[in-house]
Amino acid sequence: MRRRRPGVFAWLPPMVPTFLLLGLFFIGPILWAAYTAFTNAALSGPAARDPEFVGWENFRRALHDPNLANAVWLTVLFTFGSAVIGQNCLGMLLAVLMQRRNQVIRAIVGMLVVAAWVLPEIVAAFALYAFLSGDGTLNAVLTTLGMEGQNWLFTAPMLAIILGNVWRGTAFSMLIYQAALSDVDVELLEAAQVDGAGPLRRFWHVVLPIVRRTVMTNLMLITLQTIGVFTLIYVLTSGGPGTASQTLPLLMYDRAFEFGEIAYGTAIAFVLLGVGALFSAIYARALRAEV
Amino acid sequence: MTRRRVAAALANLVLAGIALVFAAPLLWLLTTSVDAAAGLRVQVPDLTGQHFASVLAWESGGRALWNGVLLSGGAALVTMVAATFCAYPLSRYQLRFRRPFLYTVLFATGLPLTAVMVPVYSLFVRFNLIDSRLAVLVFLAAASLPFAIWMTKNFMDGVPIELEEAAWVDGASPMRALGTVVLPLMLPGMAVVAIFTFILAWGNFFVPFILLLDPAKQPAAVNVLTYFGQAGLVTYGQLAAYSIVYTVPVVGLYLVVSRALGGAFSLTGAVKA
């Protein structure tokens, strides 16, 4: 029904606020970053007042920085473990198990899983911190069961932040999959059952092919949400002990604000932004039918 | 039939186990917030209201809550208005750049906000905007704008264009038609966008943590960290109490939105998976 091809004075004015906001606070910083990453800008010292152009120096340094290699690896591990495996599979398991359960069970389980997701990130992080710490609830339970507790945040920091992020983010996948599963035609499933297919085969050969597109979209979205996670890890382990759980956002924060090396921090931010842009582009393309 | 029963029982058992694991960390917040002997584990509380009373005092916690309301409320308002204006041409006119623009918007919704914070910080330093609540408000608004435009455009597409054409025939300008015909029908959708932006801004810790250094200007998201040993002493009772006070508005608004859109799918539903 869009039959009007309007002049510039019809469409431009209403879009000006958006162009201004996004230009100043979104595109501006990214262009600024593109410039800063090639200087030696710092928080203090002579380089803070008058940054010099240093060419590819920051990126050359990044390439040989063992901390960056470590952070990239940990980010991959964190994203794969907590999002692709953890949230995605647990979300699907919950959605499948909750189908055709009675209303009360669905409501209670759904409420608890969603609650962890609705909480502000920092509150979720505090709750997890208390749960996993040396004096925490998890160890209290383990002790009553006759097992020995430990300070999980210190002895197994990656496992702690991965499980923490699964706890926090599973609701998103669960909600998406619940909606997708409710669209699956029941008659198809019944037909498969008549043909003698068990629950696993029905899921693998009937349900999964139907919801495949949803799974792909969900994987993109949770990957994008996970690579940028800062607050949860900052509260739980601060990237430590040492650099044992220092993912890219934590390394970026550490270099830029703790060490005051703004330019180098920006170069790391660019790595993060690059990974995000890649996944985001795939995601936007996958949804081209909607545009 | 017995096999079916066993399967159902097994499913219920697994669900109960998962529910317990999800409940345990949450339970700590509830018990600790009213426990005079607050610690790190879930225990039967020695009841007290002291923690809530002390965190609600203006200096220690009240002011930060108010700052949060100003920041998030302002951001929600700015985003909603900008998104509505921007969505109108996208939804109603035939524009050559419509598809590329929407692609870009969709692309921008996916970018991790964390990654732009270092350059944003240095920009804020350069233009002397550190500790400016207004600048942070506008930045938070800009950060949620791509998603808000996407949602608003979808809501606006749902309003039939025939209604406006009638208004145009009667001599109303497009903006007048937007104000008198489209907006009233879109109010629920706009409210969803505003609430959504508010929730995102209210829950964002990293942005104000980087850009607001003066404790008197920090919102609750950052202030809650002071109970977590930033000031030297960890006070778990107050930490839990303040966490709950800080969380309640989000849960309330979430319930409103999910009621409005039907079911818990609400916030993810707008993503159109």
Side-chain angles (χ1 to χ4, degrees):
Chain A
M1 283 306 288
R2 292 185 190 85
R3 50 181 89 124
R4 290 170 37 118
R5 203 179 257 288
V8 68
F9 290 106
W11 62 261
L12 187 61
M15 295 180 89
V16 163
T18 292
F19 287 145
L20 274 180
L21 279 173
L22 291 185
L24 283 178
F25 289 91
F26 218 86
I27 300 165
I30 291 175
L31 292 179
W32 181 256
Y35 161 72
T36 312
F38 292 97
T39 68
N40 64 351
L43 275 187
S44 53
R49 279 191 301 278
D50 202 8
E52 285 168 27
F53 189 77
V54 295
W56 290 94
E57 182 53 36
N58 288 312
F59 291 97
R60 209 170 295 140
R61 181 180 154 196
L63 213 57
H64 298 107
D65 185 352
N67 284 321
L68 186 79
N70 176 56
V72 169
W73 160 241
L74 292 180
T75 308
V76 170
L77 189 67
F78 178 66
T79 305
F80 198 76
S82 72
V84 177
I85 302 282
Q87 295 178 5
N88 182 48
C89 295
L90 187 58
M92 182 61 97
L93 179 73
L94 279 166
V96 170
L97 287 182
M98 279 162 78
Q99 269 188 314
R100 280 168 285 171
R101 290 277 92 73
N102 76 53
Q103 208 61 44
V104 181
I105 294 176
R106 283 176 66 116
I108 293 174
V109 177
M111 190 194 74
L112 287 169
V113 176
V114 170
W117 177 65
V118 170
L119 292 184
E121 190 176 5
I122 198 161
V123 174
F126 290 145
L128 284 165
Y129 178 87
F131 184 70
L132 294 169
S133 68
D135 296 324
T137 310
L138 179 60
N139 281 345
V141 173
L142 289 179
T143 312
T144 30
L145 293 176
M147 280 179 274
E148 210 171 314
Q150 49 187 314
N151 189 347
W152 301 98
L153 299 171
F154 206 78
T155 53
M158 277 312 286
L159 188 66
I161 62 172
I162 286 174
L163 290 181
N165 196 43
V166 172
W167 179 79
R168 160 131 184 93
T170 294
F172 185 84
S173 301
M174 181 190 80
L175 294 172
I176 293 227
Y177 289 147
Q178 275 183 325
L181 289 183
S182 66
D183 289 341
V184 175
D185 193 351
V186 185
E187 282 177 21
L188 275 177
L189 289 171
E190 281 166 357
Q193 193 167 14
V194 170
D195 290 342
L200 279 181
R201 292 187 57 169
R202 283 204 300 273
F203 178 74
W204 192 259
H205 290 292
V206 181
V207 178
L208 213 50
I210 297 176
V211 299
R212 202 194 63 214
R213 259 182 59 97
T214 308
V215 174
M216 292 315 293
T217 313
N218 182 51
L219 282 176
M220 283 304 149
L221 283 173
I222 58 179
T223 299
L224 284 166
Q225 286 161 12
T226 305
I227 55 175
V229 168
F230 173 83
T231 310
L232 188 79
I233 305 176
Y234 182 70
V235 168
L236 285 181
T237 66
S238 299
T243 57
S245 58
Q246 194 177 51
T247 57
L248 276 173
L250 273 288
L251 177 70
M252 181 194 83
Y253 173 79
D254 194 54
R255 285 303 117 95
F257 299 113
E258 298 291 331
F259 285 78
E261 299 176 293
I262 289 291
Y264 189 51
T266 307
I268 300 172
F270 246 95
V271 176
L272 190 60
L273 207 58
V275 179
L278 182 70
F279 278 98
S280 203
I282 302 175
Y283 164 67
R285 242 193 101 61
L287 285 191
R288 65 184 177 281
E290 309 277 353
V291 174
Chain B
M1 273 326 266
T2 46
R3 248 187 85 175
R4 241 202 171 150
R5 274 242 174 94
V6 172
L10 205 65
N12 283 335
L13 208 66
V14 173
L15 283 176
I18 295 175
L20 266 181
V21 174
F22 270 86
L26 295 174
L27 198 58
W28 175 81
L29 285 174
L30 297 178
T31 59
T32 308
S33 67
V34 289
D35 190 349
L40 276 167
R41 62 180 59 176
V42 175
Q43 56 191 7
V44 180
D46 176 8
L47 284 179
T48 173
Q50 192 53 47
H51 302 317
F52 279 101
S54 75
V55 299
L56 283 174
W58 179 253
E59 282 281 319
S60 62
R63 183 176 55 197
L65 286 168
W66 176 239
N67 283 338
V69 171
L70 287 181
L71 275 181
S72 320
L77 207 65
V78 171
T79 302
M80 187 185 73
V81 172
T84 305
F85 277 122
C86 182
Y88 186 77
L90 290 174
S91 172
R92 291 302 191 245
Y93 296 151
Q94 210 167 46
L95 298 170
R96 211 167 297 135
F97 63 89
R98 196 178 65 90
R99 280 178 67 92
F101 184 82
L102 284 172
Y103 263 132
T104 314
V105 164
L106 202 57
F107 172 72
T109 59
L111 292 179
L113 187 59
T114 321
V116 295
M117 285 320 291
V118 178
V120 166
Y121 173 82
S122 42
L123 269 186
F124 268 55
V125 170
R126 169 134 297 199
F127 294 104
N128 224 348
L129 292 172
I130 295 289
D131 272 338
S132 155
R133 272 175 293 191
L134 184 65
V136 175
L137 182 157
V138 177
F139 176 69
L140 284 170
S144 15
L145 195 53
F147 194 58
I149 292 173
W150 183 252
M151 278 170 81
T152 312
K153 190 223 157 230
N154 283 336
F155 282 128
M156 206 177 272
D157 284 347
V159 178
I161 197 167
E162 286 77 10
L163 295 172
E164 270 161 278
E165 284 174 335
W168 291 338
V169 169
D170 290 342
S173 70
M175 280 301 119
R176 208 184 140 79
L178 172 69
T180 54
V181 180
V182 185
L183 286 193
L185 289 170
M186 275 191 55
L187 277 181
M190 287 167 67
V192 168
V193 172
I195 291 176
F196 187 82
T197 311
F198 185 94
I199 291 179
L200 279 186
W202 181 262
N204 195 315
F205 163 78
F206 199 44
V207 172
F209 179 61
I210 297 291
L211 301 178
L212 294 174
L213 305 176
D214 180 359
K217 292 180 176 168
Q218 286 169 344
V222 182
N223 186 55
V224 68
L225 207 58
T226 55
Y227 301 106
F228 192 62
Q230 293 292 89
L233 195 69
V234 187
T235 44
Y236 292 115
Q238 294 176 13
L239 177 70
Y242 198 62
S243 294
I244 289 177
V245 173
Y246 166 53
T247 302
V248 165
V250 175
V251 174
L253 289 173
Y254 176 78
L255 290 178
V256 171
V257 175
S258 57
R259 186 69 57 89
L261 291 186
F265 192 54
S266 55
L267 293 191
T268 55
V271 177
K272 282 208 165 181

